[in-house]
Amino acid sequence: MITPSARLLALPGYPLAELPAIKRRLVAAGRDIIDVAAGDNDAPPPRVAVEALKRAIDNPANSKYGFQQGHPEFRRAASDYVFRRFGKRFDPATETLPLIGSKEGLAHMPFAFLNVGDVAIMPEPGYQAYLGGTVLAGAEPHVVPLRGEHDFLLDVDSIPDDILRRAKLMFLNYPNNPTAAVATHEYLERVVALCRRHQIVLAYDNAYCDIVFDGYRAPSIFEIRGAHEVAVEFFSLSKSFSMTGWRIGFAVGETNLIAPLTSAKTYKDTGPFLAVQEAGAAVLDQAETLIPAICEEIGRRRDAAVPALRAAGFTVGMPKAAMYLWVALPRGISSKAFARYALEVEGVMVLPGSAFGPAGEGYFRIALTVPPVRLVEAVGRLTKALAGVQEDGGRHTA
């Protein structure tokens, strides 16, 4: 009998694997579903991206292999964006790498830096690409739970010495998905110091750095002294520019850290579509003009949803960044049971906290991807869902 690999079978179910099938069935039956599960903004991509893509497609050269070198204009625009945004300069040719979305690059980091049996340190709840890439590379994940009492920061002091000795890679993500937590400069200094001391490569996932509110400014890891020695930073155009399906992002770092990731990717892909890279360059060059409107709209949604959730009795913070609300459930309520009940009975699709790993149990995630009026309606339905689940003891798994 042919069976999948042991590494594949070791992976947990992906967070978005089950619920969309249920949603499709309900929509086909005529149900009104409010989908706030996936972090997929409902705003259209910037017009400049669409127009640039149209022009780029007409150029036959853009239908050729891009390979890892990619489009020189995209590399230049990515480097310029990082310089304007953070004041840090990376060479477009040797210290900047186009990615098929930041997820792809993050998932390939273990293949670039880990041997079989090496350890990768990662947060839980966390983005499943960290765990998936590590397990598929034959390395060992060391999961650090993110706790509310620690402001959902990865507690580096809790990592055992024997793990630190074996660790070769650490994943970190602030502003954070799914908790929307942010990291202070002092905290990042401690992380960088730990990685330098133990020679651990730090994969810093900065996909949400542009989605900020109330004057908060998300930092680059390279604003921390010494980070250049150990860090690779990942950026995505998905959230900042509502371009999730375009699959375009980039990484920056010192040449000796970018080169291994480039080599690993060379054996696995031929880089993003060159026409999409050309469109990506166009939006990065206008980032300061395009991003504020997206932040303003997501901020309006946050400002509608958080008070509504609190008024309904839910416990939720007012995030400074990202596009998510991390909402606590009453003790004893299964997040998966709640999410299933909310979708099937009340027509609201959220992600259960357990989808991000066992440490996410006790929470559910709302993505701010629908207008304020629909978010408020969703909160009303979720309030009914919680009452319904509590009535049947939190056992609903229909």
Side-chain angles (χ1 to χ4, degrees):
M1 179 179 178
I2 297 174
T3 59
S5 71
R7 292 177 185 177
L8 186 66
L9 294 174
L11 293 173
Y14 199 75
L16 291 176
E18 178 187 37
L19 294 177
I22 300 174
K23 175 189 171 182
R24 284 193 297 271
R25 170 169 56 83
L26 295 174
V27 170
R31 292 282 301 279
D32 173 41
I33 304 299
I34 303 176
D35 186 348
V36 288
D40 202 348
N41 198 359
D42 61 341
R47 195 69 213 163
V48 63
V50 175
E51 295 299 330
L53 181 63
K54 288 178 179 178
R55 293 192 300 270
I57 286 175
D58 283 336
N59 181 356
N62 284 329
S63 290
K64 304 297 184 182
Y65 285 125
F67 298 109
Q68 303 311 323
Q69 180 61 32
H71 201 302
E73 272 300 290
F74 181 73
R75 283 177 172 265
R76 188 273 312 156
S79 176
D80 287 351
Y81 160 84
V82 172
F83 180 72
R84 296 194 314 271
R85 178 73 168 74
F86 303 109
K88 303 298 176 181
R89 175 64 74 184
F90 291 89
D91 186 281
T94 62
E95 298 178 324
T96 306
L97 179 62
L99 301 172
I100 310 172
S102 59
K103 176 181 181 178
E104 170 264 301
L106 289 159
H108 279 142
M109 282 292 282
F111 293 91
F113 291 99
L114 299 181
N115 295 311
V116 174
D118 285 344
V119 170
I121 299 166
M122 63 195 66
E124 186 183 279
Y127 195 32
Q128 294 286 44
Y130 313 151
L131 178 67
T134 299
V135 171
L136 291 174
E140 178 183 328
H142 177 77
V143 170
V144 181
L146 303 185
R147 305 296 189 194
E149 58 266 30
H150 294 142
D151 299 320
F152 297 110
L153 297 174
L154 191 153
D155 183 6
V156 293
D157 295 331
S158 71
I159 304 171
D161 288 340
D162 66 310
I163 294 295
L164 291 173
R165 284 192 293 270
R166 296 170 54 211
K168 299 293 187 293
L169 180 63
M170 177 187 290
F171 291 98
L172 207 63
N173 165 224
Y174 295 102
N176 183 256
N177 172 26
T179 70
V182 297
T184 64
H185 192 94
E186 292 73 22
Y187 170 78
L188 294 177
E189 285 180 333
R190 289 173 53 215
V191 172
V192 168
L194 179 83
C195 289
R196 293 178 67 195
R197 186 161 60 249
H198 293 278
Q199 287 299 286
I200 299 170
V201 176
L202 177 59
Y204 195 77
D205 179 2
N206 214 351
Y208 298 93
C209 65
D210 289 323
I211 310 300
V212 293
F213 318 110
D214 304 330
Y216 175 72
R217 177 188 175 279
S220 162
I221 195 63
F222 293 112
E223 295 176 34
I224 306 303
R225 186 185 301 273
H228 283 79
E229 299 174 20
V230 293
V232 177
E233 190 160 28
F234 294 81
F235 297 94
S236 171
L237 278 65
S238 291
K239 316 299 181 179
S240 301
F241 304 103
S242 298
M243 295 170 65
T244 51
W246 297 54
R247 307 316 307 139
I248 183 69
F250 63 94
V252 296
E254 293 286 312
T255 302
N256 66 310
L257 297 176
I258 288 292
L261 179 57
T262 303
S263 296
K265 281 171 52 59
T266 297
Y267 282 90
K268 289 173 170 288
D269 65 72
T270 51
F273 181 23
L274 288 172
V276 171
Q277 291 189 52
E278 195 166 312
V283 295
L284 286 172
D285 283 342
Q286 298 187 33
E288 291 82 358
T289 301
L290 298 171
I291 290 170
I294 293 175
C295 290
E296 182 178 353
E297 176 57 24
I298 295 176
R300 289 199 317 116
R301 297 172 181 190
R302 177 202 67 163
D303 293 345
V306 170
L309 284 161
R310 289 175 174 174
F314 289 99
T315 300
V316 60
M318 181 67 81
K320 296 180 180 179
M323 57 191 300
Y324 305 114
L325 302 179
W326 190 236
V327 189
L329 284 165
R331 186 179 299 274
I333 298 296
S334 159
S335 63
K336 182 177 180 181
F338 173 75
R340 289 288 297 271
Y341 191 101
L343 177 56
E344 295 214 333
V345 179
E346 298 297 340
V348 180
M349 186 169 165
V350 299
L351 275 186
S354 60
F356 298 94
E361 186 54 79
Y363 294 85
F364 65 95
R365 192 191 78 176
I366 291 176
L368 299 170
T369 53
V370 298
V373 65
R374 289 288 272 174
L375 283 166
V376 173
E377 182 180 353
V379 171
R381 297 188 192 184
L382 291 170
T383 305
K384 294 177 183 177
L386 180 58
V389 171
Q390 288 174 320
E391 285 177 7
D392 73 4
R395 294 182 296 272
H396 181 84
T397 55

